[in-house]
Amino acid sequence: MIRIRILGSAAGGGLPQWNCLCANCAAARNGEIAPQTQSSVAVSADNQHWFLVNASPDLPRQIESTPALQPHPGSLRNSPIAGVLLTNADLDHTLGLLLLRQQQTPVLVYASDATRSALDWLELLLHPFGGSTWRTASGDFNSLSNGLAFRAIELHKSNAFQLRDEVSGQAALIAPVVGELTAELRDAVDTSDVILFDGTFWNDDELRAVRRGARSAREMNHLPISDSSLALLRHSPARRKIYVHINNTNPILMPGSRERALVQQAGIEIACDGLEIIL
Ligand SMILES: [Zn+2]
Ligand SMILES: [Zn+2]
């Protein structure tokens, strides 16, 4: 049995974002919609060893709101967090690694070679504080811990991860940064029981409405929902399909919006912090 816990469901900046007064950020400050922390997912097959997919700058808060990630009785200093899988080197996915430095054992990090070399500076910062052990995430299934296997799916400038329960064979796809739909990713969408997918932007030009000259969704390596992943996920046979890594400008966050209704009509859920999925 695999437990998947969404620690943070928002894209970089969170909801609300400190310098943003878009409709969603205003509604989050008014208490009309729930604030959300930055994207990270925790996974465990034994409820003892937890692996994070991305470590956000909000990790301290996320640990304090998740008892399973807190130190267990038996010794004064310990952590159930056994390692971190990185989709890419973005700051909102990696700054949480700096929190994991006050320990005797090195932090275990799985990433592509490109992600590791982009994070040289972070590796140097961790070095005097217990350090870090880096492993290249393989494209073939490998055991991660008791009963949990995983593989990396290489995409344009990012990885997605497919996790598999080694007992039941059930699989989950965790893909918060998707800039292209490859054959391998489509295959993983068709062969996973649960899918957590890139829900960053609704439209390609969404950010330009709040900031003139902003890059498009595709330029930021996120396929927009409306003309890409909505159709893909609608037709996927997965039991649960959930948008994660949702940017604060995305209209699917607003209750009663047309866009939110379209997502729900397609059988896709919209993640929120603390959501737990059992596979
Ligand atoms: Zn991000
Ligand atoms: Zn905003």
Side-chain angles (χ1 to χ4, degrees), residues 11-12 90 92-93 245:
D90 285 359
D92 59 313
H93 305 163
H245 196 276

Short mmCIF file of all heavy atoms in Angstrom, two decimals, residues 11-12 90 92-93 245, ligand 1:
data_model
loop_
_atom_site.label_atom_id
_atom_site.label_comp_id
_atom_site.label_asym_id
_atom_site.label_seq_id
_atom_site.Cartn_x
_atom_site.Cartn_y
_atom_site.Cartn_z
N ALA A 11 2.01 26.24 -7.18
CA ALA A 11 3.26 26.46 -7.91
C ALA A 11 4.11 27.49 -7.15
O ALA A 11 3.71 27.97 -6.08
CB ALA A 11 2.94 26.95 -9.32
N GLY A 12 5.27 27.83 -7.71
CA GLY A 12 6.18 28.79 -7.07
C GLY A 12 5.46 30.07 -6.69
O GLY A 12 4.68 30.61 -7.47
N ASP A 90 14.36 23.94 -10.21
CA ASP A 90 13.69 25.19 -9.85
C ASP A 90 13.77 25.45 -8.34
O ASP A 90 13.68 24.52 -7.54
CB ASP A 90 12.21 25.14 -10.27
CG ASP A 90 12.04 25.30 -11.77
OD1 ASP A 90 13.06 25.48 -12.47
OD2 ASP A 90 10.89 25.24 -12.24
N ASP A 92 11.62 26.68 -6.29
CA ASP A 92 10.45 26.28 -5.50
C ASP A 92 10.41 24.76 -5.29
O ASP A 92 9.61 24.26 -4.51
CB ASP A 92 9.13 26.78 -6.11
CG ASP A 92 8.90 26.30 -7.53
OD1 ASP A 92 9.82 26.38 -8.35
OD2 ASP A 92 7.77 25.84 -7.83
N HIS A 93 11.31 24.02 -5.96
CA HIS A 93 11.35 22.56 -5.80
C HIS A 93 12.56 22.10 -4.99
O HIS A 93 12.68 20.92 -4.67
CB HIS A 93 11.40 21.86 -7.16
CG HIS A 93 10.27 22.26 -8.05
ND1 HIS A 93 10.28 22.06 -9.41
CD2 HIS A 93 9.09 22.86 -7.77
CE1 HIS A 93 9.16 22.52 -9.93
NE2 HIS A 93 8.43 23.03 -8.96
N HIS A 245 0.62 21.54 -8.35
CA HIS A 245 1.51 22.61 -8.80
C HIS A 245 0.69 23.69 -9.53
O HIS A 245 0.97 24.07 -10.67
CB HIS A 245 2.62 22.05 -9.71
CG HIS A 245 3.78 22.97 -9.92
ND1 HIS A 245 3.77 23.97 -10.88
CD2 HIS A 245 4.98 23.09 -9.30
CE1 HIS A 245 4.92 24.61 -10.84
NE2 HIS A 245 5.67 24.10 -9.89
ZN ZN B 1 7.50 24.88 -9.53
#
